[in-house]
Amino acid sequence: MTETFLGVPVDATTTEAALEAASVAVEGGAPLLIVAVNPEKVVKAERDPDLRSFIAQAGLRIPDGVGLVIASRLRGGNLRTRVTGVDLFLALCERAAKTGWRVYLLGARPEVVSEAASELARRFPQIAIAGWRDGYFSTEEAGSVAAEVAASRADLLFVALGSPLQEDFLRRRGAQTGARVLMGVGGSFDVLAGRVPRAPRLMRSVGLEWLYRLYREPWRIRRMAALPIFLWRAVQRGS
Ligand code: UDP
C-alpha cells in the first residue's frame, strides 16, 4: 500500500517485504531501486521536480523516519512502522551473506568505506563483498565508477554519497552498474564503521533516534526544525 505525503509517495512496507522484493529482483526480476524517504526529503521533493520523479519511479520507497508514521497516524493513514535505511541496509547484507548475493559499497571517505566493508565481513562472515570505493569522485569520473561496479558483478549496490549526490548517481548511472538492487544509504557507512554511534536501543525503539542525533550533531537542528511544519502540513492536506 502506498501513502502520499505532500504529493510524495511512500510505501507502507516492512523489512521482510523489502527483502522479498530484493530477492525477486536478484533472481531475475526487474532491477529494484530502493529509496529511503523521510520528512526532510518529502519537503525537498516538493520543490525539486528531479527528486520528486526519482522517488515516484523508485520500486520501493521505505518510510525512513518516525515523522512519516506520526503524520500517517494523525490522519488515519496506513503507515504503521518505519523501516530505517540503515536497518534495511544491514538486513539486506545479512540476507546477501545467506544467499551469496554480491555486495558493493560505494561512498564515504576511503578509510570509512574500507572499515565498513571489514565490519560487514566481521558481522556476516559468509558475505561476498564484490568491491568498495570511496565517494569522492568528480562528475566526469562517475562513468568509470559505474563501470567498476559493473565489472565487480555486484548484485546489490549501496550508495552512500548523501543527498542529492547519491540520487544523481543512481539516476544517471544506476542502470550502467548492472546491479539488481540499488539503494541510497546516506551516512550508513559512517554508522557501520563506528564513526557515528547509533542511539541506545531503548531510544530507538520508542522512535527517539532523532533526539540522540541532535545531541551528537547539534547542527542538525535546522534540518529538524522542518519536522513540525511537515507534520502540520501533511495532516492538514491529507495527501
Ligand atoms: N559523501 C561522499 N561524497 C561526497 C559527499 C559526501 O561520499 O562528495 C559521504 C559522506 O562521507 C558521508 C555521506 O556521504 O558518509 C553523507 O552522510 P549524511 O549523513 O550527511 O547523509 P544524508 O543525511 O544526506 O542522507
Side-chain angles (χ1 to χ4, degrees):
M1 240 182 296
T2 302
E3 191 169 333
T4 307
F5 296 85
L6 306 177
V8 177
V10 178
D11 298 303
T13 187
T14 58
T15 302
E16 211 31 63
L19 289 174
E20 186 47 41
S23 178
V24 170
V26 178
E27 309 304 336
L32 175 68
L33 174 64
I34 305 176
V35 183
V37 183
N38 55 31
E40 194 191 328
K41 228 179 238 171
V42 168
V43 173
K44 241 194 233 169
E46 258 193 305
R47 289 186 222 123
D48 177 348
D50 284 347
L51 181 59
R52 204 159 57 230
S53 72
F54 179 77
I55 297 175
Q57 281 161 25
L60 195 58
R61 286 75 50 122
I62 60 168
D64 178 10
V66 73
L68 296 175
V69 176
I70 296 172
S72 177
R73 281 182 190 239
L74 286 174
R75 66 188 198 190
N78 49 37
L79 264 191
R80 282 294 163 265
T81 44
R82 90 194 157 121
V83 177
T84 68
V86 64
D87 287 333
L88 181 58
F89 161 53
L90 291 174
L92 282 164
C93 288
E94 185 176 18
R95 180 64 61 93
K98 285 195 186 124
T99 50
W101 301 340
R102 295 165 61 75
V103 172
Y104 196 103
L105 306 182
L106 173 62
R109 293 197 313 277
E111 66 281 13
V112 171
V113 65
S114 118
E115 267 170 53
S118 317
E119 179 59 20
L120 274 185
R122 195 187 64 76
R123 287 193 199 186
F124 313 117
Q126 305 297 321
I127 197 164
I129 308 253
W132 74 83
R133 76 149 286 163
D134 69 272
Y136 293 84
F137 52 85
S138 64
T139 320
E140 291 74 48
E141 289 171 296
S144 64
V145 170
E148 236 177 80
V149 177
S152 79
R153 293 180 298 107
D155 299 301
L156 311 190
L157 171 63
F158 297 103
V159 185
L161 305 175
S163 295
L165 287 178
Q166 65 196 29
E167 286 81 20
D168 285 349
F169 182 85
L170 287 165
R171 185 173 39 230
R172 287 171 211 230
R173 303 291 176 179
Q176 200 185 327
T177 66
R180 311 301 304 166
V181 177
L182 306 97
M183 179 177 176
V185 292
S188 296
F189 298 171
D190 297 80
V191 173
L192 188 59
R195 301 295 173 111
V196 179
R198 290 199 74 184
R201 195 175 290 273
L202 181 66
M203 276 183 104
R204 280 176 7 214
S205 67
V206 296
L208 287 178
E209 183 150 26
W210 61 271
L211 188 59
Y212 183 79
R213 280 196 97 175
L214 189 58
Y215 157 70
R216 303 282 320 185
E217 301 165 288
W219 54 267
R220 286 187 183 268
I221 187 83
R222 283 186 55 186
R223 286 162 66 161
M224 286 184 184
L227 185 61
I229 301 167
F230 163 78
L231 278 178
W232 171 255
R233 295 185 48 223
V235 172
Q236 291 291 309
R237 177 163 152 181
S239 68

